[in-house]
Amino acid sequence: MTSFDASCNILNAVFAAEPRSEVMRSVMEFIKDWYRFNRVEHGAGWMGTTTMRDGLEKVMKHDCPWMNLRTSKRFQFACGRRQTLRLYREKPLKCDAPGSAECPPGRADGFGGLRYGIFEPGPERNLVAWSRFDACTKFGCDERRVEAICNKNV
């Protein structure tokens, strides 16, 4: 399980995988290649989202070549004999309606990255999560939620 981000890469911040996942093995190979070939120097984008997309696409080409990651409208599908893939979509929140459950005041008025959510695909806009925690102040956040919790002595 993971989600497309708003630019059609795959979110590395939220995913679920079974132990010894073929997808995660493939992602790890792409991370190694990222450093091996110094892709950051060549403007290859964000490492996490790019390597997640590349790793998933490689497994899909092998295990379910009839599925196209970029054009499929399916929310969940079998890929190979042992795995089922579920893909959510990151979309901008609708923050124009006051008091919206989708976009509470802190998100509507804060940093622009807070105005994104993770939805089930389709027109119904079933919000399942927000893309960033509500104290995030910039892309990449650079904040650590664990540090914030630990500093409050919770």
Side-chain angles (χ1 to χ4, degrees):
M1 179 284 302
T2 189
S3 176
F4 284 98
D5 69 6
S7 60
C8 290
N9 283 314
I10 299 294
L11 282 176
N12 62 313
V14 58
F15 68 90
E18 75 279 357
R20 294 174 288 286
S21 162
E22 287 299 317
V23 173
M24 292 313 298
R25 283 186 191 151
S26 180
V27 169
M28 290 305 299
E29 289 303 314
F30 279 100
I31 290 173
K32 290 176 189 175
D33 285 348
W34 183 278
Y35 287 109
R36 188 178 302 128
F37 301 116
N38 201 11
R39 288 178 68 184
V40 71
E41 295 291 324
H42 300 95
W46 292 96
M47 180 188 72
T49 56
T50 301
T51 56
M52 287 291 284
R53 183 203 60 222
D54 293 346
L56 180 56
E57 283 181 335
K58 180 179 178 185
V59 169
M60 288 179 66
K61 283 180 187 173
H62 181 267
D63 291 353
C64 52
W66 56 90
M67 291 299 297
N68 184 319
L69 183 61
R70 303 216 183 236
T71 61
S72 177
K73 302 288 186 216
R74 297 181 63 192
F75 170 54
Q76 181 170 308
F77 54 91
C79 183
R81 294 183 311 190
R82 298 185 358 242
Q83 58 198 358
T84 299
L85 302 177
R86 178 176 284 200
L87 300 170
Y88 294 94
R89 301 279 190 267
E90 182 182 51
K91 298 178 183 178
L93 300 173
K94 290 187 176 179
C95 292
D96 49 350
S100 164
E102 185 175 296
C103 186
R107 290 187 178 277
D109 304 331
F111 151 68
L114 296 178
R115 293 190 289 275
Y116 285 87
I118 298 173
F119 295 83
E120 291 180 359
E124 298 83 23
R125 297 192 59 85
N126 292 323
L127 177 70
V128 296
W130 287 299
S131 301
R132 291 165 187 84
F133 64 95
D134 59 359
C136 189
T137 59
K138 57 187 168 188
F139 287 105
C141 292
D142 290 335
E143 296 95 354
R144 298 288 182 250
R145 186 67 170 161
V146 173
E147 289 176 20
I149 290 170
C150 289
N151 290 335
K152 291 181 183 176
N153 296 318
V154 175

